[in-house]
Amino acid sequence: KEECKCITISDESGLYITDDYIVTHNSVAGVTIVGQLIDDCDKIVIFCQRTLIREWKKRFSTFSNIDIGIVPLSLSAKKRKEFYENNEAKVWLINYEKMRTDDFDVFLKVLKGKKCVFMYDEMQKLRNRKSTLHKQFAKIVKKLDPIQYGFTATPVEKKPDDLYNIF
């Protein structure tokens, strides 16, 4: 038996990889898809975990010249509302958790009637149908009817229904 070396990555569930693999990130595929869709919709919204916002920003600056709007985590609710209402970037990068806050209502109001594409990075975050987060996103999808893309390299952790629940 060979000994393997593992590293911990910045993920809430502490996922790991061995040193025999090249680490990639969903953001590379995401940036490519955004480039293909950007002219065919009004707004592309990428939802990701807070710890991955920097990674997405880096990939956009490396692989495209697309302007992205990032909702700063430290802004007050009033300033975040101004961001949603006034930011003209065609692509927004938003932490999943923002949909549990006052941002939810403003987000719905600003995007109502627009042709939207939603991209979910680490989409397993939405697998629990009983969670507040899943319920919030179900409301958003019902009201805005976006085109949706999901990214994950995480296997279904509990049961096959988890995959069904995501969609």
Side-chain angles (χ1 to χ4, degrees), residues 74-88:
S74 59
L75 289 182
S76 66
K78 180 181 177 185
K79 291 285 188 187
R80 289 193 315 270
K81 180 179 184 233
E82 290 173 11
F83 168 89
Y84 290 118
E85 293 174 341
N86 301 317
N87 187 283
E88 294 184 12

Side-chain angles (χ1 to χ4, degrees), residues 53 69-75 80 83-84 92-94 98 103:
I53 287 176
I70 300 173
V71 183
L73 300 172
S74 59
L75 289 182
R80 289 193 315 270
F83 168 89
Y84 290 118
W92 287 349
L93 183 55
I94 301 175
K98 289 295 175 202
D103 293 27

